[in-house]
């Protein structure tokens, strides 16, 4: 069993990302598995200076020690390019030079999917060579289904609900959907535990795994933490950084949020005791089967 935590260094660790870190850690460690940390630092324009280092120091302060070396996505472009080349060989991709505005304008005749406008496939047969262009992967009008350990049965039709999606951006950066699939495969990840804000990405990732001939992975999507205004905790919504000095309090609260019902006096213990209790008692079936909860 190999699990992972894959933060984007766009800001320091907040309570929402602690939940994903803790749940993925406990799920792996409960079965004597490995827990890897991968820094998803491909989107340099969105990166916050010092955040990657700060995230790692906070994980250590919370007793969440990872196995092996940290993988930095920014150093792995060659690997993503090889995967892209494989998809190109099979003619699964095409170049797209549509601007955001053009896609918006063409939307009159197209439909809104689960993540906004469904790209109408304007460039599919155009064989665009002029640069800059993005690379999209062709989707199929068929259902992709999987059983999520927490959220249950999930089915999506990528052509009808998402549309042909970008795997390399026009600015040359590889998109999350491709890099995450390549890395989870190369790192031998067997179990992905993460926030349910990424549930809708899973079918795209399974689709890419199929196209690339990779094995499927077991998914478990924990409820994403929202603030009182109903916004996902993130840098954009000014989620507060969690501090090293609050490790015990935050770990205790995270266990409560994850439905584990720790005994009241555990909150006063050191992080090591809290994590020991958590490892002995972790039960993923107790995690609330919701996509989000306010904290
Ligand atoms: N880097 C992503 C994020 O911070 C998570 C990726 C994943 O767990 O698949 O939202």
């Amino acid at each position: 069993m190999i699990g992972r935590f894959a933060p984007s260094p766009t800001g320091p660790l907040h309570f929402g990302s602690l939940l994903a870190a803790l749940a993925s850690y406990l799920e792996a460690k409960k079965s004597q598995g490995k827990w890897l940390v991968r820094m998803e630092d491909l989107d340099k324009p969105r990166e916050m200076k010092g955040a990657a280092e700060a995230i790692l120091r906070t994980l250590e302060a919370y007793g969440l020690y990872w196995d092996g070396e940290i993988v930095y996505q920014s150093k792995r472009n060659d690997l993503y390019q090889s995967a892209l080349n494989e998809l190109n060989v099979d003619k699964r991709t095409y170049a797209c030079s549509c601007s955001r505005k053009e896609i918006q304008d063409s939307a009159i005749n197209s439909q809104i999917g689960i993540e906004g406008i469904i790209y109408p496939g304007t460039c599919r047969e155009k064989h665009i060579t002029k640069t800059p262009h993005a690379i999209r992967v062709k989707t199929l009008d068929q259902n992709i289904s999987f059983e999520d350990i927490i959220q249950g049965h999930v089915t999506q039709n990528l052509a009808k609900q998402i549309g042909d999606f970008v795997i390399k951006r026009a600015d040359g950066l590889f998109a999350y959907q491709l890099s995450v699939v390549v890395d989870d495969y190369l790192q031998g990840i067997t179990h992905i535990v993460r926030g349910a804000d990424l549930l809708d990405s899973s079918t795209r990732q399974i689709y890419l795994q199929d196209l690339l001939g990779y094995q499927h992975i077991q998914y478990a999507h924990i409820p994403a933490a929202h603030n009182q205004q109903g916004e996902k905790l993130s840098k954009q919504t000014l989620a507060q950084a969690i501090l090293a000095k609050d490790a015990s309090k935050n770990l205790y609260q995270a266990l409560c949020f994850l439905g584990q019902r720790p005994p009241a006096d555990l909150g006063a213990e050191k992080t090591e005791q809290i994590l020991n209790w958590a490892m002995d008692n972790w039960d993923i079936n107790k995690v609330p089967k919701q996509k989000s909860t306010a904290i």
Side-chain angles (χ1 to χ4, degrees):
M1 170 142 184
I2 306 181
R4 48 63 153 190
F5 175 54
S8 303
T10 52
L13 215 60
H14 53 73
F15 190 74
S17 33
L18 173 66
L19 292 173
L22 181 63
S24 58
Y25 175 88
L26 292 172
E27 186 62 7
K29 292 293 165 183
K30 175 93 189 178
S31 323
Q32 283 83 45
K34 286 204 172 109
W35 184 66
L36 312 183
V37 171
R38 178 170 73 234
M39 205 47 79
E40 302 213 318
D41 58 349
L42 278 183
D43 197 344
K44 289 291 170 193
R46 282 189 60 221
E47 188 165 335
M48 181 198 256
K49 206 169 174 293
E53 206 36 47
I55 289 171
L56 298 177
R57 295 295 80 81
T58 308
L59 289 175
E60 286 173 338
Y62 280 61
L64 302 172
Y65 296 100
W66 54 89
D67 295 296
E69 298 280 314
I70 308 271
V71 160
Y72 289 86
Q73 288 195 320
S74 56
K75 298 190 181 135
R76 293 163 70 84
N77 271 346
D78 292 354
L79 300 170
Y80 310 136
Q81 189 60 50
S82 320
L84 188 71
N85 294 346
E86 266 180 61
L87 296 171
N88 286 343
V89 168
D90 292 342
K91 308 239 180 314
R92 304 290 195 176
T93 64
Y94 59 93
C96 167
S97 61
C98 292
S99 65
R100 228 173 262 261
K101 168 125 187 16
E102 282 164 338
I103 297 175
Q104 209 102 49
D105 292 347
S106 64
I108 307 154
N109 298 320
S110 58
Q111 293 186 333
I112 304 296
I114 42 184
E115 279 187 2
I117 294 165
I118 296 177
Y119 179 66
T122 322
C123 290
R124 242 194 199 222
E125 308 301 335
K126 279 195 184 160
H127 308 289
I128 303 275
T129 49
K130 74 167 182 189
T131 49
H133 61 242
I135 306 286
R136 288 181 185 270
V137 66
K138 295 175 191 167
T139 52
L140 300 175
D141 184 3
Q142 62 189 37
N143 285 346
I144 295 181
S145 307
F146 69 98
E147 292 301 322
D148 188 275
I149 296 174
I150 298 169
Q151 306 291 339
H153 189 72
V154 178
T155 299
Q156 271 175 8
N157 177 313
L158 289 183
K160 290 209 173 95
Q161 294 178 279
I162 296 282
D164 297 348
F165 55 94
V166 170
I167 50 175
K168 190 175 188 185
R169 296 171 9 177
D171 61 7
L173 294 179
F174 288 96
Y176 159 69
Q177 304 294 357
L178 181 68
S179 58
V180 78
V181 164
V182 171
D183 283 338
D184 284 333
Y185 168 71
L186 292 176
Q187 295 187 278
I189 303 300
T190 59
H191 288 69
I192 292 179
V193 181
R194 61 185 177 192
D197 49 306
L198 292 166
L199 187 64
D200 286 337
S201 287
S202 305
T203 46
R204 267 168 280 178
Q205 293 171 16
I206 290 169
Y207 179 58
L208 290 175
Q209 285 157 7
D210 285 343
L211 292 183
L212 290 161
Y214 299 167
Q215 265 184 354
H216 286 174
I217 299 173
Q218 188 80 61
Y219 292 97
H221 286 86
I222 62 169
H226 280 193
N227 63 21
Q228 297 300 332
Q229 287 75 46
E231 302 162 326
K232 184 196 158 203
L233 296 192
S234 68
K235 191 183 146 207
Q236 286 74 30
T237 57
L238 306 176
Q240 276 186 353
I242 51 168
L243 304 177
K245 71 173 176 59
D246 297 329
S248 291
K249 186 185 93 190
N250 283 329
L251 283 171
Y252 180 82
Q253 278 183 358
L255 288 170
C256 295
F257 185 92
L258 292 166
Q260 303 300 304
R261 302 205 196 112
D265 53 0
L266 190 72
E269 299 289 344
K270 291 205 164 66
T271 54
E272 204 184 325
Q273 272 76 45
I274 298 178
L275 289 176
N276 282 343
W277 180 91
M279 263 183 284
D280 290 343
N281 293 279
W282 172 250
D283 182 357
I284 202 162
N285 297 312
K286 288 189 185 156
V287 175
K289 298 182 192 324
Q290 299 158 2
K291 292 203 181 127
S292 73
T293 318
I295 60 152

